[in-house]
Amino acid sequence: MEGKRRKLILGMFALAWMVVATASVVPTDPPLVYVQENSGVPVQIQFPAVDKLPVVKQLPDPLLWSKGKGRVKKFPQWEKRRNEISAAIQHYGIGQKPVVAPECVKARMDGDTLIVDVTVNGETLTLRSEIRYPDVGNPPYAVMIGTSGIALPRQLFEGRPIATMVFHEKQVNDYSQWGNHHDRGEHPFDRLYPSLKENGAYSEWAWGLSRLIDGLQLLGADVTRIDTRHIGVTGCSYAGKMALFCGAFDERVALTIAQEPGGGGAAAWRVSHEMDGVESLEKTDYHWFKESMRTSFSGDSVYRLPYDHHELCAMVCPRALLLLGNPDYKWLADSSMLVSARAAREVWQHFGIADRMGYSIMGGHPHCQLPERQYPEVIAFIDKFLLGKDTNTDHVQVSDIVER
């Protein structure tokens, strides 16, 4: 029975909108990365009340315009559609990621530590992150930023000219599933934005990582020894979700590696709703999201959600995204992530750049401990999108999940 159910889920959701996909021909490849946090213009959308939203049981088409008519055909149209998805996720899911004026950010180096001061509404929030420089190569270096830490093995960076640093998310929002923390609306971020107290942590953490990138750009490579055209972001578990949101919402991130992000990360809420014992929309941690998402979209109301997390993944396009899973942990809903990953990859495929998006879902190891058999996929993405090597990433669509 479980096998038949899984087959139904995989078939129904993965193929629902793909059948209408049409290939686009572009004269040149889309950019690998951007110099702006958001290359497009934020769109103004009048979002309907939840009870006025249509019921959509299949995964929504990421290329369908928000008004429900017509689809994105050529790559230049994608920046507007991407901003439509961004607006929907902020409105219904995580809360606003506010734009920060350049004059509000100051940065300096204290030895190898980057210090960024952000002043908004008369309040200042300070971020600190030590940069660990490689002992090979010459500056400026590519950099991998770990959200709360880097779970990827150190061996993947040793011998490569890649710096590493950690985004200490508690400097922005100190929520943790373990230990003491402030309540919603009482975090450091909220001193700057008291009107955004309904925000979930993921919007605020994405805002914070963007401010670190502001600091790197502001000081420049001569001071930081960092190449801001080759920034990667990675994290595992709840920090894997964080890495995905950070990469999706900042186009200066060239490579996003979300490791075992579970529900609320790359897994699709609609697919997880059809599964038992997984992190579904009702069974996630709501410090991370807006409380209104739970009250509005629990149960079968999930089918009214005007987006799903394959579209969060697609926001990374045309930049590089690698999703890493571990099907040994049922809670992570990796069957759902597989459906979502395949659906999202169709967006890169649509623009002729499918090699920039991959997934590797392999078991046989503890949570957040990448096994050696997954090293080749990760190394290929790191070498290609952080170091500019001519490596083959076309084949990185690997899964241990048995589809019956």
Side-chain angles (χ1 to χ4, degrees):
M1 182 66 183
E2 181 65 26
K4 290 179 67 177
R5 190 179 193 182
R6 177 177 291 169
K7 183 177 180 180
L8 175 64
I9 292 170
L10 292 173
M12 178 176 67
F13 289 99
L15 301 177
W17 63 268
M18 293 182 197
V19 295
V20 298
T22 56
S24 291
V25 178
V26 290
T28 58
D29 283 345
L32 287 164
V33 73
Y34 295 82
V35 296
Q36 305 101 333
E37 180 178 349
N38 182 13
S39 62
V41 177
V43 295
Q44 301 298 318
I45 299 176
Q46 293 295 319
F47 290 103
V50 174
D51 62 354
K52 302 298 183 184
L53 291 166
V55 172
V56 179
K57 291 195 172 183
Q58 297 80 21
L59 290 185
D61 182 350
L63 297 170
L64 184 67
W65 296 108
S66 63
K67 292 182 179 180
K69 294 183 179 180
R71 302 176 76 245
V72 172
K73 294 182 179 179
K74 297 182 179 180
F75 179 72
Q77 299 172 308
W78 173 243
E79 72 171 36
K80 180 178 178 180
R81 175 60 191 140
R82 179 182 170 275
N83 273 277
E84 289 184 343
I85 297 169
S86 171
I89 293 174
Q90 290 180 74
H91 181 80
Y92 292 108
I94 62 173
Q96 183 182 347
K97 181 191 178 188
V99 176
V100 177
E103 60 269 21
C104 295
V105 180
K106 307 296 181 185
R108 62 192 186 278
M109 294 291 295
D110 181 5
D112 289 344
T113 299
L114 172 67
I115 302 174
V116 181
D117 295 315
V118 188
T119 302
V120 177
N121 294 322
E123 295 282 345
T124 299
L125 184 152
T126 299
L127 300 169
R128 293 179 174 84
S129 180
E130 180 183 1
I131 303 173
R132 296 180 58 181
Y133 294 98
D135 56 9
V136 297
N138 299 302
Y141 302 106
V143 63
M144 179 64 81
I145 304 175
T147 50
S148 195
I150 297 178
L152 294 175
R154 291 296 307 174
Q155 300 96 295
L156 301 182
F157 300 99
E158 291 172 353
R160 287 181 168 80
I162 301 173
T164 58
M165 57 192 297
V166 173
F167 166 48
H168 301 287
E169 79 280 10
K170 291 185 178 181
Q171 296 173 353
V172 176
N173 179 313
D174 69 357
Y175 173 69
S176 172
Q177 293 176 298
W178 306 274
N180 296 327
H181 58 81
H182 287 90
D183 292 326
R184 191 188 298 265
E186 298 177 351
H187 299 288
F189 172 94
D190 300 303
R191 292 189 291 103
L192 279 62
Y193 300 100
S195 65
L196 300 181
K197 62 182 180 180
E198 301 302 321
N199 269 18
Y202 284 128
S203 61
E204 300 180 3
W205 287 333
W207 175 93
L209 184 126
S210 290
R211 306 292 70 81
L212 276 186
I213 297 176
D214 286 348
L216 291 172
Q217 281 189 322
L218 185 63
L219 294 176
D222 289 344
V223 175
T224 66
R225 294 186 284 162
I226 295 299
D227 176 4
T228 54
R229 299 286 293 183
H230 291 92
I231 296 174
V233 173
T234 188
C236 190
S237 198
Y238 89 94
K241 305 186 216 306
M242 194 192 315
L244 181 56
F245 277 103
C246 289
F249 280 86
D250 196 318
E251 293 187 291
R252 296 170 295 182
V253 175
L255 171 62
T256 301
I257 302 179
Q259 185 179 1
E260 301 181 41
W269 290 130
R270 283 168 170 79
V271 181
S272 297
H273 178 60
E274 302 290 336
M275 302 167 65
D276 296 323
V278 302
E279 187 177 6
S280 61
L281 187 143
E282 301 90 350
K283 298 175 183 177
T284 190
D285 189 324
Y286 265 83
H287 288 84
W288 296 333
F289 303 94
K290 294 177 70 173
E291 283 287 350
S292 59
M293 187 172 75
R294 173 162 47 189
T295 58
S296 297
F297 300 107
S298 288
D300 287 346
S301 294
V302 70
Y303 300 127
R304 292 187 182 274
L305 192 67
Y307 66 91
D308 217 318
H309 277 222
H310 65 304
E311 292 173 283
L312 171 67
C313 296
M315 281 182 61
V316 178
C317 182
R319 297 163 295 122
L321 172 65
L322 177 62
L323 301 175
L324 301 174
N326 184 350
D328 291 354
Y329 292 81
K330 186 177 181 180
W331 178 251
L332 296 176
D334 276 347
S335 291
S336 176
M337 185 174 78
L338 176 60
V339 175
S340 184
R342 288 173 171 172
R345 195 171 185 271
E346 288 295 315
V347 175
W348 279 266
Q349 181 71 50
H350 187 75
F351 299 123
I353 50 173
D355 63 321
R356 301 184 190 181
M357 193 279 175
Y359 55 85
S360 177
I361 305 172
M362 295 185 181
H365 60 93
H367 184 43
C368 292
Q369 296 185 32
L370 191 80
E372 288 189 15
R373 69 189 187 116
Q374 278 185 298
Y375 285 14
E377 290 89 352
V378 179
I379 289 171
F381 267 76
I382 289 174
D383 282 352
K384 185 168 188 173
F385 299 109
L386 288 189
L387 297 180
K389 294 184 179 180
D390 185 17
T391 59
N392 181 10
T393 54
D394 286 330
H395 64 288
V396 184
Q397 302 148 65
V398 184
S399 172
D400 281 349
I401 295 173
V402 178
E403 300 174 48
R404 299 182 176 90

